[in-house]
Amino acid sequence: MNHRSVQSQVLRRAALPLVLLAAACSDSSLVTPDGSAPSASVDRPTKVSISPRLVALKVGETATVSSVVSGSSGTNLSQRALYRSTNLALATVSAAGLVTARAAGSVMILAEIGTVADTMRLTVAEAPVISPPQAFNGLVSVRFVGGTPSPVIAAAFLQAAARLNDVIQGMSGSFPVPINLGAGQCNASQPAINETVGGLLILASVGPIDGPGSILGQAGPCLVRTGTRGIPALGVMSFDEVDMDLMSSRGLLNGVVLHEMLHVLGIGTLWGPDRQALVADPQGTDPVFMGQRATGAYGVFGALNASLGVPVENTGGSGTRGGHWRESVFRDELMTGWAGGAMQMSALTVGALGDMGYAVDPSRADAYSLPALVGPGGGTSGLQAGVQLGESVLEPIARVDQRGKFLP
């Protein structure tokens, strides 16, 4: 073998490990830098499906959309799509998919993740014009301040006032009150007022407070008349617009507005020992309402302990405890501290209004029955079943006499 042939074989043998090393380095499937096997590639979103695909609403109404994100393998992924309206003047959509119709027209709602999207078509029609109730007797009236809310919300206020004017026939110890009050005395939304009020004037406002959840709003009497009953002359109701939309989507709006309006009339706000003394210890462990008409209605419902009084809420925060009927006993009754079910204004609440000095028509109460027979313990086997109302219940700032003079 000649010298050149030997040299060629040596070079080929020396190059072989280098080739094998290069091949090993180029095969990324063998090992990862930490010595472990590499993981499979991440399944990226390739499709978004929104549901429903076609919705029709009236101005002020709401609907909820949902979406599913799937990957290239066809499996559903945990990633969430972002929602967007193509015309915010016609409709808005929250991060949770709550769509609110703002004005008449047609708009697309998009569910997007990266460059992948799906669309839903929303058609918005004008809401019917709501006329004031024809049977309105002027005892309870509502005036919107800070702008008129959506037609759906405005209708809930008007319907609540009409409902109360149907039940209440008069006010014991009531007299026309000249009111001259600077702005912001009752709450932040209250404008200056200088007029004579014959019944109860409620100043209502709907606007941003703190977003969804937490504080729904505040309501209560601001000025009450002098006299033993202290019948309200001026009251306020202020609500978070986002929470009102949520209540509307859950079918609770009308009940919630009527509930808060009854607080303005004095339910839960004038019961205490320093007002009408119908509840001796509102913040106690077992508060009860001792009005004769309400306890009578409680007995008619079949309660075995009606003579001890009507159970008042003994749980919850300051806006719930001591100012509502006890949820564990009454459940679907309108004036518990939890919204849910039928929210019926029963003979219990109508009777309480009678005990507070209002002339009422008991026949106008909603049909109602206790969820279970109540025994000596004052409760049933159930727990709270509705959505707790995150409300702030207001108390009067002063009494006012026939001359318009404010008294503590």
Side-chain angles (χ1 to χ4, degrees):
M1 182 179 295
N2 59 38
H3 177 72
R4 179 174 297 178
S5 175
V6 171
Q7 184 179 30
S8 174
Q9 291 180 16
V10 170
L11 291 175
R12 285 197 298 272
R13 290 172 182 173
L16 181 59
L18 297 176
V19 173
L20 293 176
L21 178 61
C25 292
S26 66
D27 188 356
S28 60
S29 67
L30 296 178
V31 293
T32 60
D34 64 357
S36 62
S39 60
S41 59
V42 176
D43 195 1
R44 301 184 181 279
T46 58
K47 182 180 179 182
V48 177
S49 300
I50 193 170
S51 178
R53 304 193 64 84
L54 181 63
V55 174
L57 297 175
K58 293 182 176 65
V59 173
E61 292 182 337
T62 61
T64 301
V65 298
S66 61
S67 60
V68 175
V69 178
S70 54
S72 57
S73 63
T75 59
N76 295 339
L77 305 180
S78 60
Q79 289 101 315
R80 293 184 177 182
L82 299 177
Y83 297 108
R84 177 170 64 88
S85 169
T86 58
N87 190 332
L88 295 176
L90 299 185
T92 57
V93 58
S94 71
L98 180 67
V99 178
T100 303
R102 301 294 184 185
S106 182
V107 58
M108 304 299 290
I109 303 297
L110 281 70
E112 301 174 310
I113 182 167
T115 59
V116 184
D118 195 14
T119 59
M120 177 206 79
R121 179 174 293 279
L122 171 65
T123 302
V124 182
E126 291 286 358
V129 176
I130 305 298
S131 301
Q134 296 301 311
F136 182 72
N137 60 22
L139 293 177
V140 179
S141 60
V142 176
R143 180 182 302 165
F144 296 112
V145 297
T148 303
S150 71
V152 172
I153 294 176
F157 278 92
L158 294 176
Q159 290 169 10
R163 181 77 175 94
L164 293 176
N165 285 316
D166 183 50
V167 171
I168 299 172
Q169 309 299 307
M171 300 179 178
S172 176
S174 177
F175 48 82
V177 177
I179 298 176
N180 188 352
L181 188 66
Q185 302 299 303
C186 299
N187 68 356
S189 64
Q190 173 246 315
I193 179 172
N194 186 5
E195 61 185 273
T196 297
V197 176
L200 170 60
L201 172 61
I202 299 176
L203 305 177
S205 63
V206 179
I209 296 180
D210 64 349
S214 190
I215 300 176
L216 166 67
Q218 54 181 202
C222 179
L223 296 176
V224 298
R225 293 170 172 84
T226 53
T228 56
R229 292 300 184 185
I231 295 296
L234 179 68
V236 292
M237 298 174 67
S238 297
F239 293 101
D240 190 309
E241 60 185 359
V242 177
D243 286 326
M244 293 295 272
D245 288 340
L246 288 173
M247 291 295 172
S248 178
S249 69
R250 295 172 180 174
L252 300 174
L253 179 62
N254 290 342
V256 167
V257 172
L258 181 57
H259 172 109
E260 299 299 331
M261 199 170 288
L262 280 160
H263 281 316
V264 180
L265 268 71
I267 294 285
T269 54
L270 299 179
W271 286 355
D274 57 338
R275 294 292 177 186
Q276 295 191 356
L278 290 165
V279 179
D281 187 10
Q283 300 303 314
T285 58
D286 186 25
V288 292
F289 182 94
M290 293 304 300
Q292 183 177 0
R293 295 190 183 189
T295 54
Y298 187 37
V300 171
F301 291 158
L304 303 180
N305 60 348
S307 62
L308 301 178
V310 182
V312 172
E313 188 57 65
N314 59 355
T315 64
S318 59
T320 302
R321 189 186 188 104
H324 298 84
W325 303 132
R326 198 170 298 177
E327 168 74 7
S328 61
V329 177
F330 297 105
R331 288 291 184 89
D332 286 353
E333 218 286 336
L334 177 66
M335 292 311 296
T336 73
W338 280 257
M343 298 188 74
Q344 297 149 318
M345 185 167 67
S346 73
L348 182 68
T349 295
V350 174
L353 288 171
D355 290 326
M356 295 167 61
Y358 295 96
V360 296
D361 181 355
S363 70
R364 308 308 296 170
D366 293 329
Y368 173 83
S369 59
L370 290 174
L373 190 63
V374 180
T380 71
S381 60
L383 298 175
Q384 286 83 0
V387 178
Q388 186 171 13
L389 296 170
E391 54 187 330
S392 174
V393 178
L394 302 177
E395 294 187 354
I397 64 170
R399 296 180 299 145
V400 59
D401 65 15
Q402 291 173 312
R403 298 169 298 173
K405 182 179 179 180
F406 293 165
L407 303 170

